[in-house]
Amino acid sequence: MAVVDPLLVVDDVRLAFAGIVALDGVSFTVGNGELFAIIGPNGAGKTSIFNCLNGVYRPQRGSITLAGTELIGMSPHRIAEVGVARTFQNIELFENLTVLENLQLGRHLAVGYGTGAAMVWKGKAQREEVEHRRRVEEIIDFLEIEPFRKQLVGMLPYGVQKRVELGRALAMDPKLLLLDEPAAGMNLEETEDIARFILDIKEELDVAMILVEHDMGLVMDIADRVMVLDFGVKIADGTPDEVQRNPDVIKAYLGETLEAGS
Amino acid sequence: MRGRPNLYTSYEADGAIFPTATQKVTFWLGVAGMVALPFLGLSRVWLILLATTFVAAIGAIGLNLVTGYAGQISLGHAFFLGVGCYTGAALSGDPGGSVIGMGLDMLIWLPAAGLVAALAGVIVAPVALRLKGLYLALVTLGLVFLGEHIFRNWESLTGGGGVGRKPPVLSLLGWRFDQPGAIAGIEVSKEQQIYLLTFILLLILGFAAKNLARSKVGRAFAAIRDRDIAADVMGVNLTWYKVVAFAVSSFYAGVAGSLYFATTGFVEPASFNLLLSILFIAMVVIGGASSIAGSIMGAAFVTLLPQIIDSTSDFLPLIGDGSAGVLSPAQFERILFGLLIVIFLIFEPLGLYGIWIRVRNYWKAWPFSY
Ligand SMILES: Nc1ncnc2c1ncn2[C@@H]1O[C@H](COP(=O)(O)OP(=O)(O)OP(=O)(O)O)[C@@H](O)[C@H]1O
Ligand SMILES: [Mg+2]
């Protein structure tokens, strides 16, 4: 497969809901293997970008290409096939399935057998199930969730659910992984665990990542590049150092703290 | 490994229907018992009643696949049962008779009954792409009314209301299940044969459904049921899997419909009504949603309970036909099933299967109740 650089090109994307402009001409690129972060105040449009990237929302204007393939207009499951996986800001696990089954569902597209083979089971279906189970177990080991393997995810503590969701996305072997606030609601120790997982993924797997996160410390520590969004408009984009020195960014964030303080 | 038969040693064994040898042996002993049962002096009436239970279980498994596993609430199950029922009868029936008949073998009419119903399911499935929950339930309810109308008026197929037609003939490659015969030198009656035939079909279709449920397809069903947008984002093609759910479910309904006719010998175009759909919902809810074993328990409960009420109604106060009671047994059954659906939905969503699992786990841990 040819390496296309940059992997993801988002160009002039505009998304509006009746009356609200969620994204206003947003453009950015993400390179192969890059860890790209998007920050911005609440309601800035970060989650909306993810929803456009994986086809849940359809922008009114602009273009999004992954390795040269236009994503706008494709259905979410087709975009998953092209290689985009994600976690959700509010956990979206299948709560009546076990941890194992949730991760196995992540391998849905990789598993090849059909309905008929499934009903017979012996042979193709059984062979593939065992084969893909190996990959799932690797991810379970990696995320250190072995003790919960057979438990229904609905019953698990929040921090573990967040990991399972990361595992489910990893099981898809994506080219581009979207992480929507993976450290939200976590204590210091759990946040450090997540940071370690993200860095390990970056090191060991050939996957580009977009990280949306409110924890500035985490973002500035691990991201290669950062984009700042405010009211649907990109106000800065660069290395963590550049962004932190950018006067517009300081203004947007100071503005927010002042408001919050008043 | 030796001495620890309960230790899972491979992913294969871990994903198996019976992960331990004990479970496997227990199950097959149970099957052997069921095969021996008709030779232990059961009456003809009871044999047919049990065969009807097996057939109902096939239908209930079908409904559980689409509603319990894939979360698509369907009140249209009676319609698919009817489609299968009359497809089987028409393909099997006498070619020269007053109603449509092709005189084909069971090898053809039985799968065809399933396939034609499955096709009807495929045609209906697109509705489920647009509608969810109650709205889907309402549209599938419309299907039942439509079906009733067609069955009543298409007299050359169904024989018409109050008249009916002959059931499909249980004749497989020259072997007549509906006539006394001998298997390996043992005399078998018609009823014993029908019992065995329907039991074996339930076994095969039950395993196929169980396999489906633990496969990629079953997980996709559950994902659509729990969170359809997340399922889509994970690569599950919602359209395809809803179509598959309706097709497979209707296939089971079609097979059950034709077998029901062949087993009981009589159906009416009006049989395929809303009440029948609700009885199947009762089987799924009472037995346990998204459980194959539960579907079978639910089918047994709903099919056998009326019989028990009937035979004890003389002893129950207020219940009896005509002047004998305030409620007829049939009315009492309806009220009872309605109540049970509500009670199970509220207090035991896992159904009889859930109760069974709890009891089993309790005895497993006994006498250590932790
Ligand atoms: N489905 C929708 N319908 C209407 N408005 C929406 C919808 N989704 C998002 N919006 C609006 O778009 C804007 C951006 O929302 P978005 O969820 O992308 O913000 P965010 O940056 O992820 O915020 P947060 O940090 O709180 O998660 C908000 O004003 C939001 O109300
Ligand atoms: Mg958000």
Side-chain angles (χ1 to χ4, degrees):
Chain A
M1 202 189 340
V3 175
V4 187
D5 218 29
L7 176 69
L8 177 77
V9 181
V10 175
D11 185 35
D12 193 25
V13 164
R14 181 191 161 88
L15 173 76
F17 302 100
I20 306 164
V21 180
L23 297 172
D24 197 359
V26 173
S27 306
F28 61 94
T29 61
V30 179
N32 281 295
E34 191 177 19
L35 175 43
F36 185 85
I38 303 178
I39 61 171
N42 291 112
K46 305 178 297 292
T47 300
S48 296
I49 290 186
F50 280 9
N51 282 333
C52 291
L53 281 173
N54 63 23
V56 177
Y57 292 163
R58 185 174 180 156
Q60 282 84 8
R61 199 179 73 203
S63 135
I64 300 173
T65 57
L66 185 87
T69 311
E70 177 64 56
L71 302 185
I72 293 180
M74 271 194 199
S75 58
H77 69 267
R78 280 282 299 128
I79 293 177
E81 247 169 275
V82 176
V84 182
R86 83 179 272 189
T87 66
F88 297 83
Q89 185 171 352
N90 305 308
I91 298 170
E92 298 265 352
L93 286 168
F94 307 115
E95 47 290 77
N96 295 307
L97 295 183
T98 63
V99 169
L100 182 64
E101 288 165 335
N102 267 276
L103 265 66
Q104 284 175 317
L105 191 107
R107 298 221 44 85
H108 180 81
L109 287 168
V111 181
Y113 64 83
T115 307
M119 293 177 101
V120 177
W121 193 259
K122 291 269 177 253
K124 193 172 153 78
Q126 188 174 37
R127 229 177 16 248
E128 282 199 51
E129 283 291 313
V130 171
E131 180 190 316
H132 289 283
R133 175 73 187 270
R134 293 223 169 82
R135 176 82 185 101
V136 166
E137 289 293 337
E138 279 170 26
I139 295 167
I140 289 179
D141 279 352
F142 168 65
L143 293 173
E144 297 157 17
I145 45 179
E146 300 93 334
F148 312 106
R149 202 187 267 118
K150 290 291 178 76
Q151 293 185 28
L152 296 182
V153 293
M155 311 283 192
L156 296 175
Y158 177 80
V160 179
Q161 290 196 12
K162 280 283 211 193
R163 280 193 208 183
V164 175
E165 220 194 16
L166 177 59
R168 187 180 63 177
L170 281 178
M172 293 170 72
D173 287 338
K175 291 201 189 85
L176 175 66
L177 177 57
L178 313 176
L179 304 170
D180 201 346
E181 306 201 11
M186 295 200 165
N187 62 30
L188 195 63
E189 195 182 326
E190 289 170 323
T191 305
E192 277 170 5
D193 281 340
I194 287 286
R196 182 164 52 85
F197 289 136
I198 294 175
L199 288 173
D200 284 350
I201 293 167
K202 183 168 143 64
E203 205 154 286
E204 285 171 30
L205 305 171
D206 177 28
V207 55
M209 281 182 273
I210 305 182
L211 169 69
V212 164
E213 187 49 66
H214 281 295
D215 186 327
M216 267 331 122
L218 176 66
V219 170
M220 296 305 167
D221 267 1
I222 67 173
D224 295 320
R225 272 192 310 137
V226 180
M227 172 170 89
V228 187
L229 215 56
D230 194 19
F231 290 111
V233 182
K234 171 167 127 179
I235 57 173
D237 150 358
T239 63
D241 274 347
E242 288 166 6
V243 165
Q244 275 169 304
R245 284 196 306 266
N246 185 311
D248 291 336
V249 176
I250 295 169
K251 210 171 85 196
Y253 272 86
L254 271 182
E256 200 193 26
T257 15
L258 283 182
E259 265 169 48
S262 63
Chain B
M1 170 78 207
R2 191 176 306 160
R4 292 190 62 184
N6 288 336
L7 190 68
Y8 305 161
T9 50
S10 70
Y11 294 148
E12 227 157 292
D14 191 22
I17 295 178
F18 308 112
T20 65
T22 324
Q23 274 167 290
K24 195 168 189 161
V25 170
T26 315
F27 176 82
W28 286 108
L29 281 177
V31 168
M34 290 302 283
V35 170
L37 193 62
F39 303 101
L40 302 179
L42 276 184
S43 74
R44 278 156 193 260
V45 173
W46 268 96
L47 285 173
I48 290 302
L49 197 63
L50 287 172
T52 312
T53 303
F54 302 148
V55 172
I58 294 172
I61 290 172
L63 183 62
N64 215 333
L65 286 172
V66 77
T67 299
Y69 284 92
Q72 309 299 304
I73 297 175
S74 169
L75 283 173
H77 214 55
F79 171 73
F80 300 114
L81 285 157
V83 169
C85 169
Y86 288 118
T87 302
L91 290 178
S92 161
D94 217 348
S98 59
V99 288
I100 304 172
M102 313 251 178
L104 294 170
D105 193 84
M106 189 176 136
L107 196 62
I108 294 170
W109 68 250
L110 186 59
L115 289 173
V116 172
L119 190 69
V122 169
I123 294 169
V124 171
V127 174
L129 303 177
R130 308 221 150 263
L131 300 175
K132 282 188 204 172
L134 258 155
Y135 298 98
L136 180 61
L138 276 178
V139 171
T140 50
L141 171 62
L143 209 58
V144 174
F145 293 135
L146 183 78
E148 259 191 282
H149 182 77
I150 294 172
F151 296 146
R152 214 189 315 261
N153 289 295
W154 191 353
E155 291 185 4
S156 60
L157 177 71
T158 66
V163 184
R165 61 171 294 157
K166 280 207 176 120
V169 185
L170 291 169
S171 159
L172 182 68
L173 302 172
W175 180 276
R176 298 293 298 250
F177 291 95
D178 56 348
Q179 288 168 2
I183 304 172
I186 304 167
E187 296 267 322
V188 281
S189 69
K190 169 189 162 188
E191 289 78 10
Q192 284 168 329
Q193 289 195 74
I194 292 179
Y195 171 102
L196 290 173
L197 172 71
T198 50
F199 180 67
I200 289 165
L201 286 171
L202 170 61
L203 210 56
I204 295 169
L205 290 169
F207 269 112
K210 184 76 195 168
N211 286 337
L212 192 70
R214 63 175 165 150
S215 75
K216 167 192 183 185
V217 182
R219 288 190 296 266
F221 284 178
I224 293 173
R225 175 196 63 205
D226 284 0
R227 282 174 195 271
D228 54 353
I229 293 176
D232 201 357
V233 168
M234 310 318 299
V236 176
N237 183 338
L238 302 185
T239 312
W240 173 252
Y241 283 99
K242 283 183 184 179
V243 169
V244 168
F246 269 97
V248 177
S249 163
S250 308
F251 179 89
Y252 277 69
V255 169
S258 64
L259 283 176
Y260 180 80
F261 197 179
T263 300
T264 61
F266 184 77
V267 295
E268 258 244 301
S271 310
F272 302 101
N273 55 13
L274 178 60
L275 182 67
L276 186 65
S277 281
I278 290 180
L279 281 181
F280 274 90
I281 296 217
M283 293 176 202
V284 168
V285 170
I286 293 172
S290 48
S291 158
I292 302 298
S295 313
I296 299 171
M297 294 182 199
F301 188 86
V302 170
T303 315
L304 299 178
L305 189 68
Q307 189 63 27
I308 293 164
I309 292 173
D310 264 0
S311 50
T312 53
S313 66
D314 294 348
F315 310 106
L316 294 175
L318 305 180
I319 296 162
D321 279 312
S323 59
V326 179
L327 291 171
S328 75
Q331 285 169 323
F332 178 66
E333 275 152 39
R334 276 174 222 185
I335 293 171
L336 187 68
F337 285 136
L339 265 177
L340 282 171
I341 291 178
V342 174
I343 289 171
F344 270 92
L345 278 179
I346 295 174
F347 296 107
E348 187 51 79
L350 296 176
L352 292 173
Y353 179 72
I355 295 174
W356 152 246
I357 291 290
R358 270 215 301 278
V359 169
R360 197 184 66 184
N361 288 348
Y362 178 79
W363 285 112
K364 251 192 197 166
W366 192 85
F368 311 102
S369 44
Y370 45 79

